[in-house]
Amino acid sequence: GQNIDQPTEMTATEGAIVQINCTYQTSGFNGLFWYQQHAGEAPTFLSYNVLDGLEEKGRFSSFLSRSKGYSYLLLKELQMKDSASYLCALYNQGGKLIFGQGTELSVKP
Amino acid sequence: GAVVSQHPSWVICKSGTSVKIECRSLDFQATTMFWYRQFPKQSLMLMATSNEGSKATYEQGVEKDKFLINHASLTLSTLTVTSAHPEDSSFYICSARQPNYGYTFGSGTRLTVV
């Protein structure tokens, strides 16, 4: 089975940097996704890591360490519109996408 | 890019009735689609994997006779909530796996059972 752990909620200030951590345990690993979800909407893709290291995409970066079962999503130059839920999801060997409980990020002015 | 169309966006039904939700891949063929349920302030919980031309596989604890899934073509999967009750009220989202690696999500269906 899988176990995915993320903080329930975080608060940060507009213009700042925030790091959202995700730790996981799984018997079969094929990759890790990060999604953003606004209330009442579908998740939107942010990043995908399958190898160790940092993937950078504009204001968003994602890091993976497979040996430690650890990933983080880094958001720079925070904007008010970044207030949302951020979901860490495992892509397992069964081809399924299994989500963590999500981190509710509130960006304050 | 790949688009998944899901409808209805929202539906209100009476307790005891059935509701069908459709999920279509518009510009790619999806042999596999996934159905999720999300309760308020909770994450997406995988309910079942829909396989074109064969039976769906359900996650532990999901009643297959209550949540009927049909994947009759490479572009359409349907989820029917049978004999709906208020506790079935939730946000239902489908997703399809793109040819390379990504998952595309439908816009979701807000079901309210009264």
Side-chain angles (χ1 to χ4, degrees), chain B residues 33 35 48-59 64 67-71 77-78:
Chain B
M33 290 187 180
W35 287 96
T49 302
S50 171
N51 304 296
E52 187 269 334
S54 64
K55 291 182 179 180
T57 53
Y58 291 80
E59 295 300 302
K64 62 180 181 180
F67 298 99
L68 300 180
I69 291 173
N70 184 280
H71 196 153
S77 175
T78 61

Side-chain angles (χ1 to χ4, degrees), chain A residues 3-4 21 25 46-47 54 65 78 87 90 97 104 106 109:
Chain A
N3 186 47
I4 305 169
N21 295 323
Q25 295 172 318
L46 292 178
S47 68
L54 187 68
S65 169
L78 279 173
L87 308 171
L90 284 178
L97 198 58
E104 191 69 36
S106 297

